[in-house]
Every structure is written in structure tokens, then in C-alpha cells.
Amino acid sequence: KAANHLLSLINDVLQMSKLEDGREELSSELVCLPDVFYNMKAIIDGSALDKGISVDFSEDSIWVHPYVITNPLYLRQIFLNIYGNSIKFTNFGGKISTKQECIEEKDNVITYRWIISDTGIGMSKEFLKHIFEPFTRGESSMTNKLQGTGLGMAITKNIVDLMGGTITVNSEVGKGSEFI
């Protein structure tokens, strides 16, 4: 476990370095979005189940354009970072929900919006100002017990920017967080 944790830390630092230096390239391929999400759901369901957290993926969502050209590895990494944090900072019996919608189609570019919300511990307004900065972690009795480098959200933001998207966060201490 220690070796895997160390490897994960090293990989995060290396990826952050590449993203900040502009050395990370964005390759794209034809991807079936529902497949990416169902595979990702299989990954996070186990962690959520272990903590007694329910995960709702809005099965009634309509994939207006299920096939898109994107980078599936980066897309998966963005969502696994967000869901991973939601699971990490949500207590037993909590809930994570996801809504997705196609918000724009223009010149063969499809824009989807995902809203991932949780009933976790939430974040202070002060911390939200720094959430996308490298090595930033919220300070509370719960976060001090959990491992992490504070790079996940910085990496996520850099990848989202590289892909031409946006990411915002709304949160309130004790009420949870919402990533858009």
C-alpha cells in the first residue's frame, strides 16, 4: 500500500509539472461517453459502497451525442478526481449525485455540462479561493486524517483548461459541495 501511495504521489507531481510547463499533449479519439461513464461508475461504486455512500448517475440522462472525439484518459481522470474527493469527504450514509446535459451544439462541437454534488463535509469560502492551486488541502479534523497531496484538483483544473472546458465549485461547510 505504501509503495502504491508513493507511486501515486510521484505520478501526480510529474503530471502537474508537465501540465504547468505545457508539455502535456492532448490527443483525441472517438469515444462512447456512456461507456466511459459506466466503466467509471464500476470503479467508484466499490469505494462508495465501502463507505455506505449512494451514488446516483441519473440513469434517465439523455446522451444527445453519445459518440464524441475527446481524450478518454483525461476525461476519466477528471471525473475520478472529483468523485474520489466526494467519496473521501462524505461520511457514511451520504449521497453523491450526477446530472449531465448537452448545453450547446455549434460547428460540430458539443458542449456537455456535468453537475456532481455530494453531501460531504463541504469547504469554507476561504479554501474555495485556493482549491485549484497545487498542494492545497483544506484543514479540518477530518482532512488531517486523510492522505493526499493536494494535487488532484489542480491537475483536474489544468486538464479541463487543456480540453477547452471550465470547472467551478460551490460548497458550504457541513452541507456538501457541487462541481460543475
Side-chain angles (χ1 to χ4, degrees):
K1 282 186 177 184
N4 284 335
H5 179 67
L6 184 57
L7 181 61
S8 174
L9 296 176
I10 291 168
N11 285 335
D12 281 354
V13 170
L14 291 173
Q15 184 174 22
M16 191 65 206
S17 174
K18 284 182 185 178
L19 286 165
E20 285 183 333
D21 291 348
R23 292 181 286 147
E24 195 74 19
E25 293 189 23
L26 182 65
S27 61
S28 298
E29 61 187 75
L30 185 63
V31 173
C32 178
L33 285 176
D35 287 351
V36 169
F37 277 85
Y38 295 127
N39 291 336
M40 186 184 56
K41 185 177 184 324
I43 293 170
I44 66 167
D45 274 349
S47 297
L49 185 63
D50 288 346
K51 282 193 71 179
I53 298 169
S54 66
V55 180
D56 174 25
F57 269 88
S58 298
E59 297 295 332
D60 59 339
S61 294
I62 297 171
W63 295 95
V64 176
H65 297 281
Y67 292 93
V68 297
I69 296 175
T70 190
N71 185 301
L73 179 66
Y74 282 166
L75 188 63
R76 203 172 298 115
Q77 186 173 9
I78 289 166
F79 288 107
L80 288 175
N81 281 343
I82 294 169
Y83 286 114
N85 278 354
S86 289
I87 292 168
K88 188 187 299 185
F89 297 110
T90 298
N91 292 318
F92 185 87
K95 182 176 182 177
I96 300 169
S97 60
T98 304
K99 294 184 217 169
Q100 65 84 7
E101 61 186 335
C102 180
I103 59 171
E104 184 177 48
E105 297 177 52
K106 186 177 181 183
D107 301 326
N108 285 329
V109 174
I110 308 304
T111 304
Y112 275 100
R113 175 184 310 154
W114 281 274
I115 302 171
I116 302 167
S117 55
D118 64 54
T119 59
I121 63 171
M123 295 172 266
S124 69
K125 298 251 184 267
E126 184 58 36
F127 177 71
L128 281 176
K129 296 175 189 174
H130 305 284
I131 189 171
F132 297 117
E133 295 173 7
F135 305 107
T136 302
R137 290 180 42 128
E139 294 300 323
S140 74
S141 60
M142 182 176 183
T143 59
N144 290 336
K145 295 176 192 171
L146 299 170
Q147 293 182 343
T149 58
L151 284 175
M153 288 295 100
I155 289 171
T156 298
K157 173 77 166 111
N158 278 293
I159 293 172
V160 168
D161 289 347
L162 184 64
M163 295 176 86
T166 61
I167 184 169
T168 59
V169 185
N170 301 311
S171 188
E172 190 174 332
V173 173
K175 297 205 175 175
S177 301
E178 176 184 74
F179 290 82
I180 303 167

